[in-house]
Each structure stands twice: as structure tokens, then as C-alpha cells.
Amino acid sequence: MNFHICHPGDALRPFVKQFYYWEDDSRGQIQLPQHLFTLGDQYMVFIPEGTAVIKPADHAAFTLPSHAVTGHFTSACQLQVSGPVRMTVVQLNAYGCYRMLGIDGESFTNYYRNLDLHENAVWSQLGNRLQQLRDPQEITAVLNETFQQVLQSDAPCLKQADEMADYLLARQGNVSVEELAKAFQLSRPTLERLFNRVIGMPPQLFARMVRFRNALQQTDMAQWQMPATAYYNLAMFIQDHLQFNGEMPSWYNAPATIAHMPAPAMQQVAVAS
């Protein structure tokens, strides 16, 4: 297996977080590398070789096209990859997809969009260029060039939703919608409408995802203990664990996952970072 984590150019931050390049010559179903998918982020996926099938808990299974962008996964899901596989993955932050592609986030939550059908031909061209490359440094250079080109062009206004998302991240999700609306001097309906359009989910759900991810990152406790700053009772934690991991917690310092391979031990492949 050949797996690389590459850093985008500084000009792309905060919209682009990481580049991943994964190559595996194994045939049949194969296990994904950890850290490939993270709760609360969106991803552009370019697959020159192999297939990837995603089955969200509350949605029909679907096969990703060769060039795709995935919406937020707001529930547990299974991700099955068949090899041999070559895959380049671009990790965007919560509002990076709207900024780069101008697609309303709520229109494909728990689903995907085919980049070959996007009105901007740059994404299809990028996918075709990546098919010819195998060197991680060359792939990183092509990705940086393309994303910088897109950032310099006209793009949809983020309508303060980026500031709202960053505010929730800074507060580790411990903010009510009323507090958020007051902080940004917006009515609750307006705030929720803007947040849904740009981020792709209600602010309440995004705050839960942030709180759950941060709680599991920070805690290194015995099974029965709870991170007091994030959760005030066991029922809330179990409810979020069931939604985002799809199973009851066996111990509370397990990584926060949004996707896992179906295996006897339920191997985790999506880890909060």
C-alpha cells in the first residue's frame, strides 16, 4: 500500500485542509487508511482506478463516479473500496465546497455530485490530469495550481456562514442557536437558512458533530467517564455516538468515525482530526 498525506499551499487555507494520495494493488475489498475521512468535513474524490461504494445509515447505497465531491455525512455509513485502487482525495473544510464549487450544501448531504457534470470544466480537467500522475509531489503541484486558479476567480459569497462555522469550532460546539443568532445579529430563520445553504446542514447538527469530535479527541479516560466540558450526561453522548458511529460505544476514547469497513472487528477508517 502506498499512502501519502500532502499539505496544500498556504494560499488555499482555510478552505483546503489536506491532500491524500492512496494506491493499493490488492484485489477485491480492501481496508482504507485511517484519517482518510473526518467528521464535519467535505471531500473531493478522484478515482483513476478502483471503485468506492458508500452506504449511509439512512440513505440508499451509491457508487462514487471517477470524479466526485461528497456531501457531509451526518450519520454513520459504510465505505467499501474494491481494488486495485488509485485515489486522490482533497479534504475541504465545512464551507470549502460552497466556496470552490458554488453548490448549495443542503442539496447533497449524505450524497455526492459528479464533477464531470459541473458547469466549471476545470474539475473534469483536473480529474483527467490526475489520471496520468502517480508521484505525490506532482499531484500536489497540480492540485495547488488548480485550486489557486479557482480561488482567484469569481466565487459565491459565503454570507457569514464561514464565520458562524468558525465560531462554533472555536467554542467546540458548545453554542446554542439563540446564542449564535445573537452573536451575528441575525434572526434564527435567516441564520438557519444561510447556514444550511453554505454548510449543508442546520447549525444545531453541525454543533453536535463538532462537540462529539472534540470530546473524543480530548478525553483519555476510563470507559464510564465523560468529558464534562462537552457532554453533561451519558444519554447525550450515546445518542451522538449512535448517530455518527452507528453503534453503542465500547469505550469513550475511540476515534470519531463517519465510515467503517464491514469486518468482524468493525475496523475504523474515518478518524476525527
Side-chain angles (χ1 to χ4, degrees):
M1 184 180 73
N2 189 13
F3 182 64
H4 296 269
I5 301 176
C6 306
H7 300 290
D10 291 339
L12 302 183
R13 297 184 182 278
F15 307 105
V16 183
K17 300 177 75 172
Q18 300 281 7
F19 301 141
Y20 303 97
Y21 176 70
W22 177 34
E23 185 174 0
D24 197 315
D25 293 331
S26 303
R27 296 191 175 275
Q29 281 193 14
I30 53 180
Q31 182 176 330
L32 279 73
Q34 290 190 339
H35 306 288
L36 193 59
F37 289 96
T38 301
L39 188 67
D41 290 331
Q42 291 184 298
Y43 295 85
M44 300 178 75
V45 184
F46 302 92
I47 313 174
E49 187 177 5
T51 60
V53 177
I54 298 178
K55 174 60 178 77
D58 54 359
H59 195 289
F62 55 87
T63 301
L64 287 177
S66 298
H67 311 145
V69 57
T70 65
H72 285 292
F73 292 105
T74 61
S75 63
C77 66
Q78 291 182 340
L79 177 55
Q80 300 176 342
V81 177
S82 297
V85 65
R86 283 195 298 130
M87 182 183 296
T88 299
V89 178
V90 179
Q91 182 182 14
L92 305 171
N93 72 355
Y95 45 86
C97 177
Y98 187 84
R99 173 62 178 81
M100 295 289 182
L101 289 91
I103 305 176
D104 286 4
E106 59 187 331
S107 69
F108 68 116
T109 298
N110 292 318
Y111 201 52
Y112 72 93
R113 285 290 179 265
N114 189 337
L115 292 177
D116 289 335
L117 303 179
H118 193 272
E119 60 184 11
N120 190 344
V122 68
W123 304 117
S124 179
Q125 294 167 2
L126 172 61
N128 293 332
R129 291 180 68 185
L130 292 174
Q131 286 182 357
Q132 314 302 320
L133 302 177
R134 287 178 178 259
D135 181 75
Q137 290 185 340
E138 293 182 358
I139 291 172
T140 299
V142 169
L143 291 170
N144 277 326
E145 175 189 343
T146 302
F147 279 93
Q148 287 173 8
Q149 173 188 337
V150 172
L151 274 178
Q152 291 168 3
S153 62
D154 292 336
C157 176
L158 290 169
K159 308 177 188 300
Q160 277 194 307
D162 55 331
E163 298 176 20
M164 299 175 201
D166 289 342
Y167 185 83
L168 288 171
L169 287 167
R171 298 284 297 273
Q172 299 183 354
N174 295 305
V175 182
S176 68
V177 179
E178 289 74 17
E179 291 177 271
L180 195 62
K182 183 177 180 180
F184 287 89
Q185 299 182 342
L186 295 171
S187 68
R188 177 166 179 160
T190 298
L191 182 148
E192 292 180 337
R193 183 176 66 255
L194 297 179
F195 205 93
N196 265 305
R197 182 175 182 183
V198 175
I199 308 300
M201 69 183 80
Q204 305 97 312
L205 180 55
F206 184 76
R208 282 178 58 197
M209 294 170 70
V210 171
R211 184 170 62 246
F212 178 69
R213 184 181 67 188
N214 286 334
L216 293 188
Q217 283 181 316
Q218 294 170 5
T219 186
D220 186 19
M221 305 177 180
Q223 178 172 344
W224 53 270
Q225 290 181 295
M226 295 299 303
T229 57
Y231 287 91
Y232 299 102
N233 62 70
L234 184 62
M236 290 174 59
F237 180 81
I238 291 177
Q239 179 184 3
D240 285 355
H241 202 289
L242 283 170
Q243 174 157 350
F244 301 132
N245 267 16
E247 57 189 2
M248 292 290 288
S250 56
W251 49 79
Y252 297 146
N253 61 345
T257 69
I258 59 171
H260 41 262
M261 291 292 292
M266 297 299 288
Q267 297 293 323
Q268 296 166 328
V269 300
V271 182
S273 60

